[in-house]
Amino acid sequence: MAVSEAFLHLDPMLLFKSGANFGKQRNLGLVEFHYSLGTSQNGIKSYAFSSVGYYSTDRKNRTKRSCFSRCKCQKADSISEVTADDGRPTSLSINGRTNVNNAQEFELNQLLKSDKEGFANGDTNGVGTVIDSRKSIEEEAWDLLKESVVYYCGNPIGTIAASDTSSSSILNYDQVFIRDFIPSGIAFLLKGEYDIVRNFILYTLQLQSWEKTMDCHSPGQGLMPASFKVRTVPRDGDDSVTEDVLDPDFGEAAIGRVAPVDSGLWWIILLRAYGKCTGDLSVQERVDVQTGIKMILKLCLADGFDMFPTLLVTDGSCMIDRRMGIHGHPLEIQALFYSALLCAREMLASEDGSADLIRALNNRLVALSFHIREYYWIDMKKLNEIYRYKTEEYSFDAVNKFNIYPDQIPPWLVEFMPARGGYLIGNLQPAHMDFRFFSLGNLWSIVGSLATVDQSHAILDLVEAKWSELVADMPLKICYPALEGQEWRIITGSDPKNTPWSYHNGGSWPTLLWQQLTVACIKMNRPEVAEKAVMLAERRICRDKWPEYYDTRRARFIGKQSRLFQTWSIAGYLVAKLLLANPSAAKILINEEDADLVNAFSCMLSANPRKKRGQKGFKQPFLI
Ligand code: GLC
């Protein structure tokens, strides 16, 4: 019997609920069938049937998956209405407001009207939600987060990037971004709402290596999209019914056409967090999920021309997703890469087929941590060393390995570097150190233990010492300092959105405070640093309508082109509050330092001619 035929004989609901796993022996992934209620464009009630489908682990069959990621809606007047927990038809909340049809809009207006009448001193927030002045900031944040939920075939699948109706151009802010969903997913996990995270993990997996091309070129196998959109479209040949279609973007439509290297890494980190938080390991153990992890790893660990263990990427391949001079080996990607490798190692089933991959992964972990800890780290002592570097050293044991010319030390850095504290630089290339401080990379290096314990404390010391530069009126600067003048012109390509102290160029992003700073501070047992920053942000963030970013050196203005009601600003706030109230929950995101890696690192260090600070009593090096 053909696989698809076999499934027709099974109870779809049962399959979905049980997450039954088929074909483990036959190299096949999972099948899921979903029923949900939808409403066609002309208001006819219908039910949706979705077969997410099976897939095989070979390339040919995997690319066939696209034809299954459709949610076929059929006319079904006789079927009783399925409602969400709050009693509203599930289809009402598709994409916040964008997918609602006339009938739904009417119902929604009725709901809002009655809400409004209930709130004597209420105010609307611009997205139709009524802000109750009696509500706490957290309550408002939860309401907004729930409104941002996007549904696919009636199932919650992610959160929209921003719900700002005041903005004239939506661009792609109506999509679910993989990186933006991380704080949302963590908030939902901490709240005990697991389904949305599980769905997100499984549906985005279906999008991995989608058959997409840009000018005849396909992305690498294992690439995860930057974002996706749920489109409700009339069904082919029958306008009376609609179907939901998932439409991913791997960068082929994105501004600048950048491939999102961080998406797959975040996906692995979230997958592990899901397992740790729920105790449900069945998701990570699924054949398709294991295959997905391996595909991401293979893509990242593939041999190239590079001499460095760091991941070589193009400009704008992460949160900073446009030209900002972060091509090469940017810290953010390396921090996520390291953390994703550790998470994957925890989750990969040990079987004969993955032995080589695990060996390659272990080798990379050792080399990567050595490289970053040694060559990216700067503090007063190291700066002074660079200041006195000899150049043009041709030898195996050169001290100035990358031929850095001391004149590169920028004047601002001499002022910026505190006597106590230090940080990991933004990027390292031959004859080039990007000395800018990038928050995400530094904080995630703490969270994932890419930085040593001493370095981690030193980074937080620097954040405290440079509070008025990095936190100022609104946490947290995405990078410091901004590129100005000729440097801005050359490096950003005269980008009018990335003007000095705005957006990616020294703008302040609340989402960084919540998730990254809070988890890093909790890990280092210094939650008071994050608490101080949260209190500061709380004074404005809600009143300012949850902006995406702030501008100016001290973050005094809401960003020039900043979206309001930016979901990851909202979700991040909730995560920070939940974690500060229950710090032990942060362990779902943290990677503790691995003793074997410390050992291997130490052995490499003692073999390094530049520094002989080998520690006593270490065991044999890690198996390479
Ligand atoms: C901007 C940000 C990017 C984010 C997206 C959606 O493009 O640079 O990091 O994912 O908006 O919020």
Side-chain angles (χ1 to χ4, degrees), residues 161 173 177 179-180 318-319 321 503-504 509 548 566 568:
Y173 283 86
F177 277 75
R179 72 176 73 84
D180 292 41
C318 51
M319 175 183 178
D321 52 0
Y503 198 45
H504 300 138
W509 293 65
E548 180 187 16
Q566 181 79 20
W568 67 356

Side-chain angles (χ1 to χ4, degrees), residues 108-336:
L108 187 58
N109 287 338
Q110 291 300 317
L111 273 169
L112 293 176
K113 198 164 154 248
S114 58
D115 270 353
K116 210 180 247 171
E117 282 159 6
F119 295 152
N121 302 316
D123 186 12
T124 63
N125 63 9
V127 289
T129 304
V130 178
I131 300 173
D132 180 0
S133 48
R134 293 160 302 184
K135 267 190 201 166
S136 71
I137 302 179
E138 272 170 83
E139 280 167 340
E140 187 194 318
W142 273 118
D143 287 351
L144 290 167
L145 183 63
K146 283 180 185 156
E147 270 180 40
S148 73
V149 171
V150 173
Y151 290 80
Y152 175 64
C153 301
N155 299 310
I157 188 183
T159 49
I160 197 171
S163 312
D164 185 359
T165 49
S166 67
S167 174
S168 52
S169 69
I170 295 174
L171 297 176
N172 48 0
Y173 283 86
D174 61 346
Q175 306 204 2
V176 180
F177 277 75
I178 308 299
R179 72 176 73 84
D180 292 41
F181 182 72
I182 306 305
S184 297
I186 301 297
F188 285 122
L189 284 179
L190 296 174
K191 189 83 169 149
E193 291 183 24
Y194 303 146
D195 280 0
I196 184 169
V197 183
R198 181 179 183 277
N199 291 340
F200 173 87
I201 289 168
L202 294 178
Y203 280 110
T204 47
L205 181 68
Q206 301 292 318
L207 303 177
Q208 191 183 32
S209 300
W210 192 262
E211 234 177 340
K212 281 266 180 173
T213 56
M214 193 186 120
D215 299 340
C216 308
H217 178 71
S218 314
Q221 282 276 295
L223 186 71
M224 283 281 188
S227 60
F228 64 86
K229 192 175 166 66
V230 179
R231 293 189 198 281
T232 304
V233 295
R235 191 173 169 191
D236 283 349
D238 185 355
D239 278 358
S240 65
V241 288
T242 59
E243 57 186 9
D244 282 355
V245 180
L246 286 181
D247 191 4
D249 180 6
F250 290 88
E252 75 276 10
I255 298 164
R257 305 288 187 265
V258 276
V261 178
D262 62 341
S263 290
L265 306 173
W266 277 124
W267 182 86
I268 290 180
I269 292 167
L270 184 67
L271 174 64
R272 174 197 180 243
Y274 173 86
K276 282 207 158 272
C277 189
T278 60
D280 167 19
L281 301 184
S282 69
V283 175
Q284 67 192 49
E285 284 166 359
R286 285 169 51 144
V287 177
D288 55 349
V289 174
Q290 287 281 318
T291 307
I293 300 173
K294 285 183 205 161
M295 283 176 69
I296 297 170
L297 293 181
K298 279 183 186 155
L299 189 60
C300 294
L301 296 171
D303 289 336
F305 290 108
D306 220 7
M307 284 299 290
F308 305 153
T310 34
L311 213 52
L312 178 65
V313 297
T314 56
D315 215 341
S317 61
C318 51
M319 175 183 178
I320 294 177
D321 52 0
R322 56 208 282 154
R323 192 170 150 191
M324 260 294 285
I326 54 162
H327 52 279
H329 306 98
L331 178 66
E332 171 173 339
I333 290 291
Q334 315 315 324
L336 292 174

Side-chain angles (χ1 to χ4, degrees), residues 399-460:
V399 172
N400 181 5
K401 280 201 170 75
F402 307 100
N403 200 33
I404 305 298
Y405 299 106
D407 268 3
Q408 265 177 47
I409 297 177
W412 64 262
L413 183 55
V414 184
E415 300 303 315
F416 183 70
M417 185 61 81
R420 185 188 147 117
Y423 66 93
L424 297 165
I425 58 168
N427 211 329
L428 175 69
Q429 324 249 34
H432 176 69
M433 284 178 123
D434 182 346
F435 288 104
R436 282 175 292 171
F437 172 86
F438 287 85
S439 298
L440 205 167
N442 271 282
L443 295 171
W444 207 260
S445 298
I446 299 178
V447 175
S449 288
L450 176 57
T452 65
V453 174
D454 286 351
Q455 288 173 344
S456 301
H457 276 299
I459 294 169
L460 293 184

